[in-house]
Amino acid sequence: MCTFSSISLIFLFAIFKFDGLHSADTTIWGPGLDPLIVLPARYFYVQYDQEKFNIADFNVLISGKTKNGNNCRVWTNILDRKDASFIVRYKLYEICYEFRILVENKKTLKKYWNYFDQGPIYPDECDCSKVSIDTWLSNTKCRTNIEQINNDLNQFKNVNFKTVFGKMAKFYSQHPHSTSVCHYVVKNNLIFRKCYGEYTGFKMFMDNLLLSLNRKVFLPDLEFFVNLGDWPLSSPKELFPLFSWCGSNYSVDIVMPTYDITESALENMGRVTLDMLSVQGNIEKPWSQKIEKGFWMGRDSSKHRLNLVELSKKNSDILNASITNFFFYKELKEKYGPGKKPISFFKFFDYKYLLNIDGTVAAYRFPYLLVGDSLIFKQESEYYEHFYSELIPWVHYVPVKRHLDDLLDLIDIMMSDDKTARKISLNGQKYAREHLAPHNILGYYLLLFQNYSKFLTSVEVRPNMDAVISTPNSPNQIPCQCEPEPEPSMKNIKTEL
């Protein structure tokens, strides 16, 4: 039986673990403060009082031991957001014990955060610590009610795959050269799929997502089709439950986060270099030193982009736009070229005004632009990503007409009203920081799948479906030996509050 004092300590720990630390000069928060919350890369945030802050005094130590007593392999990466705040992210490469997270002032030795857990703490690759979806959403403080999900799913009274499967398989296999889809089934936490169409390489994004989620939570039984292309496919005339990376005003697809931001959520501190966290730590110029021009660079994947380049050639004093690769309009290279050598995405933020222009569909760079600290000019579009409906023109971004007729005037207006421009840029950044971080992306999928499962009348593994299983990424695959869940105890105590 716990004594009163031990119960109090556990209660205090629970409060601090999930809510972080809020003191007069320091705020620490984020899902990575509790390493029992499994993420591909765990992370948390540290915000100091700007007047009292000295970067030289900031110290973070994340460490642990292996079962044999050796130092646990943990990669820690600190991203300076240039506003007296930091992102601390870390990735485990083996199971850790005696795990500690220490945030302190090196000069005064004041410990702002001192977490200890006896372990085991599992890497993301281990399938050892599943919880319910509700528990995961609660622990990560992800939302449990999202209007876009509700609107997408409420088109259906129910989904009966005994009736709809044959229709969807036939309908989406009619044009294998232009349309590719995969039929997925999750049954008893096992994953199966069968794909239709010639170009099915993008199935890897959904495979990796489902495998990752399946290691973290108990997924409900699911059956659904995924559109592997960019263009939305589901028509109101033929209402099919089709999951897509992108939506449009003329389709009824169930919209997921794009494959791009999904991969960046799964692979940050992995094989991707551009993700929602790394952007925040790689912006060099503060607002006052940014180049006061509109900037855009990218592929020739729409006529609007070509028109933008032409506009830039005539107005180079306030606009810098260029094509990096001519693929769709090679015959127009002489007029709109020459093709420019790409620069690092992080260098985009040297400019004060950044343009988001549609390609073949919505420009999937938009989340990364928002989370930076430049002002975003967004072209009106018939296409949308999963979060667009929550953004407000003139609050989170500057809206630009579809044909860019008003772009130059809008840049002039913002150049003459720097205070408003800065306010809008910070609003957009705040939204992206709070709703588009990696755990938010995974949380969106979990809420979507959980709510969608309630519409299904049955789930069936059908003939000729392939099992989707994890495969080793390298000969040095992380060994995972799961241990029994420990009894509730005093093993997790913050020694400094």
Side-chain angles (χ1 to χ4, degrees):
M1 179 182 295
C2 292
T3 65
F4 176 78
S5 59
S6 66
I7 291 174
S8 300
L9 280 170
I10 292 173
F11 177 70
L12 277 172
F13 173 76
I15 292 175
F16 278 89
K17 181 171 70 168
F18 294 117
D19 290 341
L21 171 71
H22 304 272
S23 68
D25 62 348
T26 306
T27 303
I28 303 177
W29 75 102
L33 290 176
D34 178 12
L36 297 177
I37 297 175
V38 180
L39 290 167
R42 294 157 163 98
Y43 54 92
F44 58 90
Y45 306 92
V46 181
Q47 175 77 60
Y48 287 100
D49 184 298
Q50 294 199 34
E51 294 182 1
K52 302 176 182 178
F53 175 70
N54 185 345
I55 190 171
D57 299 335
F58 177 61
N59 185 50
V60 174
L61 176 65
I62 300 176
S63 63
K65 298 291 185 180
T66 66
K67 206 163 190 178
N68 297 327
N70 298 320
N71 288 332
C72 184
R73 287 188 296 147
V74 183
W75 175 25
T76 303
N77 176 227
I78 299 175
L79 299 168
D80 184 356
R81 301 203 287 189
K82 309 294 195 305
D83 58 359
S85 75
F86 297 84
I87 302 172
V88 180
R89 57 180 180 174
Y90 60 98
K91 188 173 181 66
L92 276 61
Y93 292 94
E94 55 192 327
I95 301 173
C96 294
Y97 300 83
E98 300 178 34
F99 194 78
R100 185 176 298 279
I101 301 174
L102 175 66
V103 181
E104 66 175 353
N105 185 310
K106 288 189 293 187
K107 186 176 181 180
T108 65
L109 299 182
K110 179 179 179 180
K111 293 178 173 59
Y112 296 104
W113 192 264
N114 193 5
Y115 173 98
F116 178 81
D117 192 301
Q118 190 62 44
I121 305 297
Y122 294 105
D124 180 60
E125 290 77 6
C126 294
D127 187 0
C128 296
S129 48
K130 287 183 182 178
V131 296
S132 70
I133 289 179
D134 287 337
T135 297
W136 197 93
L137 293 175
S138 175
N139 288 350
T140 56
K141 296 191 177 299
C142 285
R143 292 183 290 174
T144 56
N145 184 36
I146 297 177
E147 187 174 353
Q148 183 66 55
I149 292 177
N150 297 337
N151 291 340
D152 285 347
L153 296 182
N154 286 340
Q155 303 172 95
F156 308 95
K157 292 183 179 179
N158 59 60
V159 178
N160 184 349
F161 259 86
K162 290 183 178 179
T163 301
V164 79
F165 167 74
K167 293 180 180 179
M168 292 186 73
K170 180 179 179 181
F171 186 83
Y172 291 118
S173 60
Q174 292 180 81
H175 306 287
H177 299 298
S178 59
T179 301
S180 296
V181 300
C182 284
H183 171 225
Y184 280 89
V185 169
V186 179
K187 184 80 170 179
N188 298 325
N189 276 268
L190 298 175
I191 305 166
F192 304 88
R193 66 157 152 71
K194 181 177 180 179
C195 296
Y196 302 82
E198 186 173 347
Y199 305 104
T200 61
F202 275 28
K203 66 179 181 289
M204 68 177 183
F205 296 113
M206 183 53 65
D207 287 359
N208 292 339
L209 171 76
L210 290 173
L211 288 169
S212 178
L213 296 181
N214 200 39
R215 293 193 298 269
K216 298 169 178 59
V217 302
F218 296 100
L219 288 172
D221 288 351
L222 298 165
E223 188 166 5
F224 57 97
F225 275 78
V226 171
N227 170 19
L228 299 182
D230 285 323
W231 283 278
L233 295 176
S234 188
S235 165
K237 296 179 181 179
E238 195 74 62
L239 186 60
F240 288 143
L242 180 69
F243 287 67
S244 290
W245 316 112
C246 179
S248 80
N249 297 336
Y250 310 107
S251 62
V252 291
D253 301 53
I254 299 169
V255 180
M256 309 177 290
T258 68
Y259 57 80
D260 190 285
I261 198 171
T262 300
E263 184 182 38
S264 77
L266 296 177
E267 291 291 340
N268 81 93
M269 294 190 80
R271 66 171 178 259
V272 302
T273 56
L274 176 64
D275 60 78
M276 293 297 289
L277 302 181
S278 65
V279 168
Q280 299 176 59
N282 284 279
I283 297 171
E284 296 178 358
K285 291 183 182 293
W287 179 263
S288 61
Q289 297 177 19
K290 292 184 185 296
I291 302 167
E292 293 201 13
K293 281 187 178 183
F295 180 83
W296 180 89
M297 175 177 276
R299 298 192 308 155
D300 65 331
S301 46
S302 75
K303 276 287 184 67
H304 299 293
R305 294 182 170 190
L306 298 181
N307 294 339
L308 176 65
V309 170
E310 186 172 22
L311 198 62
S312 174
K313 288 177 180 288
K314 297 176 181 178
N315 300 273
S316 59
D317 55 326
I318 62 169
L319 192 57
N320 180 351
S322 55
I323 300 293
T324 56
N325 181 36
F326 284 86
F327 176 81
F328 296 92
Y329 299 97
K330 292 180 180 179
E331 72 281 4
L332 298 177
K333 183 175 181 179
E334 185 174 342
K335 179 178 180 180
Y336 296 103
K340 290 288 185 70
K341 183 179 179 180
I343 64 172
S344 166
F345 189 85
F346 303 138
K347 295 296 289 181
F348 286 20
F349 299 98
D350 286 355
Y351 290 81
K352 187 171 283 190
Y353 315 118
L354 297 181
L355 313 180
N356 191 72
I357 308 297
D358 279 358
T360 51
V361 289
Y364 292 172
R365 69 178 69 182
F366 191 33
Y368 310 111
L369 294 178
L370 274 179
V371 85
D373 66 343
S374 296
L375 176 64
I376 311 305
F377 290 72
K378 183 188 178 303
Q379 177 194 29
E380 290 179 350
S381 175
E382 65 190 84
Y383 300 106
Y384 58 86
E385 297 179 59
H386 74 282
F387 63 94
Y388 282 19
S389 61
E390 296 184 336
L391 300 179
I392 304 171
W394 293 108
V395 173
H396 299 105
Y397 64 89
V398 176
V400 181
K401 289 181 180 179
R402 182 69 175 162
H403 296 289
L404 312 181
D405 311 61
D406 57 348
L407 175 60
L408 297 178
D409 289 339
L410 289 171
I411 293 176
D412 278 335
I413 290 170
M414 289 295 96
M415 289 177 71
S416 64
D417 190 355
D418 195 63
K419 184 177 180 181
T420 297
R422 183 57 173 155
K423 181 179 179 181
I424 295 172
S425 76
L426 290 175
N427 287 341
Q429 181 189 67
K430 183 175 186 292
Y431 174 87
R433 284 182 174 186
E434 293 180 354
H435 298 298
L436 300 177
H439 72 284
N440 301 123
I441 300 303
L442 300 185
Y444 191 98
Y445 275 108
L446 288 175
L447 183 62
L448 174 60
F449 289 148
Q450 183 182 59
N451 289 355
Y452 171 72
S453 70
K454 299 172 184 177
F455 287 81
L456 294 170
T457 59
S458 63
V459 172
E460 179 183 342
V461 180
R462 300 176 189 278
N464 301 317
M465 298 192 80
D466 296 321
V468 179
I469 58 175
S470 296
T471 55
N473 293 324
S474 70
N476 300 318
Q477 186 184 22
I478 294 173
C480 295
Q481 186 172 350
C482 303
E483 297 188 9
E485 286 292 319
E487 294 294 324
S489 68
M490 291 286 294
K491 71 168 191 161
N492 302 323
I493 296 296
K494 252 177 50 63
T495 57
E496 300 285 343
L497 300 179

